[in-house]
């Protein structure tokens, strides 16, 4: 009898040519998934390594539709694609969009996210819509005397951009020139920031990763420890269950990261959502059975999800934020010579102060030792600062 063959591997199109798309390339090759990247420039992070690259902007409908016409599934390096472009692609049957525009909009628009999560009963900080500085002042008055609030632009903010802590509406008066409304939130007195990541297939199969602790530097994720310390099994399960419910309620396909504030009483409040691989999940590339980039591709390609169990009791990730050294490869060589267990991931990006240009990971049994070694490597790679100079 002639041999039977299964369905062809779906062709994946990734909108955006940044480091997240770059880190999907290896798992796509391993899974036999043809992948095409839509990048704005051949020098972009993912475009440097992808076998198939289209040049075009994420907000250029013609460019996005041209990508959709040659793939089976569209997914994302970022959430900034205008919804009407994705809705048209779905309507015309050009490609499956995963996550779909009805889900993605909750990661694109923070006001819609707050409104929807509140309607679903998920825990969030107190928040208000503001169409003027006077509305911001009204929210501050509700918070109480001498209160401060967090004001965010509804769209486009990331890594500390589009976020201000204010004590008066006049502090964001300039933002109303470009935004009809702003999101005003209470300034949560959190004890730490957590992140819960889950993956979901089109048919509803879901899986959670361990909840991690993240630490910021100037509004940018700098350090991640997995799993989060001092978070018992019951609390891990409770927070994972919250993230899984959000993924199901919003009909997310692919990876979902739920960034959370933990309060002094142990409760959690949803800060933000990302419907793609996320910085707080980079530890899983070398520290879990299935890393988040492979898991995202499995989910959007509708393949069975992989185990998310850690490979060691603890794993850490430290971002490389642009410093004094321009030749990162030289620093990486020195760091790897000093610590053979270190994993280095460089993004091929031009170095600028504070810019994410790579990350390092380590896995093992002693979290304090792992963090110390990861930070030593980070300093060596970005600043050429030798360990003995920091002793």
């Amino acid at each position: 009898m002639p041999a039977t063959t299964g369905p062809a591997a779906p062709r994946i199109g990734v909108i955006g040519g940044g480091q997240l798309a770059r880190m999907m390339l290896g798992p796509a090759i391993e899974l036999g998934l043809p992948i095409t990247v839509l990048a704005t420039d051949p020098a972009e992070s993912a475009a440097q390594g992808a076998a198939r690259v289209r040049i075009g902007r994420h907000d250029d409908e013609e460019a996005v539709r041209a990508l959709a016409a040659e793939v089976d599934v569209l997914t994302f390096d970022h959430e900034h694609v205008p919804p009407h472009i994705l809705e048209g692609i779905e309507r015309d049957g050009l490609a499956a969009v995963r996550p779909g525009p009805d889900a993605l909009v909750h990661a694109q628009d923070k006001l819609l996210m707050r409104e929807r999560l509140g309607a679903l009963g998920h825990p969030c900080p107190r928040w208000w819509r503001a169409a003027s500085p006077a509305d911001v002042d009204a929210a501050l008055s509700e918070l109480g005397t001498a209160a401060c609030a967090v004001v965010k632009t509804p769209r486009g903010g990331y890594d500390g951009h589009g976020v201000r802590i204010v004590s008066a509406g006049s502090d964001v008066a300039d933002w109303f020139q470009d935004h009809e409304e702003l999101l005003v939130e209470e300034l949560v007195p959190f004890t730490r920031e957590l992140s819960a990541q889950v993956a979901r297939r089109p048919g509803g199969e879901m899986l959670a990763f361990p909840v991690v602790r993240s630490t910021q530097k100037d509004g940018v994720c700098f350090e991640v420890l997995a799993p989060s310390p001092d978070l018992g099994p019951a609390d891990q399960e409770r927070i994972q269950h919250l993230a899984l419910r959000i993924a199901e309620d919003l009909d997310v396909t692919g990876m979902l990261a739920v960034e959370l504030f933990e309060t002094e009483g142990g409760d959690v409040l949803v800060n933000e959502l990302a419907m793609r691989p996320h910085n707080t999940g980079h530890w899983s590339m070398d520290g879990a059975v299935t890393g988040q980039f492979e898991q995202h591709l499995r989910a959007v390609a509708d393949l069975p999800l992989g185990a998310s169990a850690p490979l060691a009791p603890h794993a850490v990730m430290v971002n490389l934020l642009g410093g004094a050294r321009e030749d990162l490869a030289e620093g990486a060589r020195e760091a790897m010579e000093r610590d053979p267990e270190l994993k280095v991931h460089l993004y091929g990006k031009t170095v600028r102060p504070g810019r994410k240009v790579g990350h390092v990971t380590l896995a093992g049994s002693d979290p304090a030792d792992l963090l110390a070694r990861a930070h030593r490597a980070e300093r060596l790679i970005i600043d050429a600062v030798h360990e003995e100079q920091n002793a």
Side-chain angles (χ1 to χ4, degrees):
M1 293 179 62
T4 58
T5 59
R11 299 165 298 171
I12 309 296
V14 183
I15 301 176
Q19 66 261 23
L20 301 183
R22 179 188 181 103
M23 288 183 275
M24 292 184 204
L25 299 178
I29 292 169
E30 293 167 357
L31 292 170
L33 298 173
I35 189 167
T36 303
V37 171
L38 180 66
T40 59
D41 189 283
E44 274 194 281
S45 184
Q48 295 174 27
R52 287 171 291 274
V53 180
R54 276 190 162 273
I55 302 301
R57 287 185 53 83
H58 64 276
D59 53 2
D60 180 338
E61 184 167 4
E62 184 177 342
V64 176
R65 288 179 68 90
L67 173 65
E70 64 181 38
V71 300
D72 302 302
V73 177
L74 280 183
T75 192
F76 308 94
D77 171 86
H78 58 73
E79 293 99 342
H80 305 313
V81 185
H84 76 271
I85 296 178
L86 301 177
E87 291 163 359
I89 288 169
E90 281 198 327
R91 182 184 62 247
D92 297 339
L94 288 178
V97 181
R98 295 172 178 164
D102 290 343
L104 191 65
V105 70
H106 299 98
Q108 294 174 325
D109 190 312
K110 296 178 178 65
L111 283 166
L112 287 177
M113 174 195 70
R114 283 282 174 255
E115 193 168 65
R116 181 66 174 146
L117 291 181
L120 291 166
H122 297 307
C124 294
R126 294 172 65 193
W127 67 278
W128 297 262
R129 290 177 178 269
S132 68
D135 290 342
V136 178
D137 287 330
L140 284 162
S141 68
E142 287 192 46
L143 287 170
T145 306
C148 290
V150 179
V151 180
K152 300 177 181 179
T153 58
R155 290 176 175 266
Y158 67 98
D159 286 349
H161 300 286
V163 179
R164 289 181 188 170
I165 297 175
V166 308
S167 56
S170 58
D171 294 338
V172 287
D174 58 313
W175 277 359
F176 287 106
Q177 298 174 19
D178 299 315
H179 301 276
E180 291 184 3
E181 290 185 305
L182 299 176
L183 171 64
V184 183
E185 297 180 342
E186 65 174 319
L187 183 60
V188 177
F190 61 88
T191 56
R192 58 182 172 177
E193 294 184 71
L194 303 175
S195 179
Q197 281 193 295
V198 299
R200 185 171 182 268
R201 289 175 67 186
E205 179 193 358
M206 296 188 292
L207 182 148
F209 282 82
V211 179
V212 304
R213 183 192 74 191
S214 66
T215 304
Q216 316 302 308
K217 179 179 182 180
D218 298 327
V220 179
C221 179
F222 185 44
E223 169 193 296
V224 171
L225 175 57
S228 178
D230 304 319
L231 196 66
D235 287 328
Q236 275 275 347
E237 186 175 346
R238 170 175 60 91
I239 296 169
Q240 288 174 326
H241 184 60
L242 169 62
L244 290 166
R245 291 201 328 268
I246 291 172
E248 188 170 27
D249 288 343
L250 300 183
D251 195 21
V252 176
T253 300
M255 290 295 301
L256 168 70
V258 181
E259 295 183 83
L260 302 147
F261 295 132
E262 184 184 47
T263 67
E264 192 170 325
D267 294 328
V268 293
L269 301 172
V270 177
N271 179 22
E272 297 198 3
L273 304 177
M275 296 182 189
R276 50 170 169 75
H278 190 255
N279 203 164
T280 58
H282 289 352
W283 68 273
S284 66
M285 298 174 70
D286 306 303
V289 175
T290 308
Q292 65 163 345
F293 295 96
E294 178 182 343
Q295 198 75 285
H296 183 72
L297 290 171
R298 286 187 182 216
V300 301
D302 202 12
L303 297 172
L305 299 179
S308 60
L311 295 172
H314 299 280
V316 302
M317 186 282 306
V318 171
N319 270 331
L320 305 177
L321 304 179
R325 190 199 291 266
E326 293 186 7
D327 184 359
L328 299 181
E330 179 185 352
R333 177 187 295 273
E334 184 175 356
M336 290 186 290
E337 284 177 346
R338 292 185 174 219
D339 194 338
E341 295 182 357
L342 183 76
K343 297 290 187 178
V344 179
H345 300 266
L346 301 180
Y347 302 159
K349 296 164 71 171
T350 303
V351 176
R352 293 199 303 264
R355 187 187 198 189
K356 292 178 186 174
V357 290
H359 70 267
V360 297
T361 66
L362 281 164
S365 59
D366 184 339
D369 174 66
L370 295 173
L371 285 170
R373 289 160 57 197
H375 281 292
R376 180 183 67 187
E378 170 254 334
R379 291 191 298 270
L380 283 169
I381 294 171
I382 67 168
D383 283 329
V385 176
H386 293 281
E387 181 184 3
E388 56 268 19
Q389 294 175 313
N390 280 280

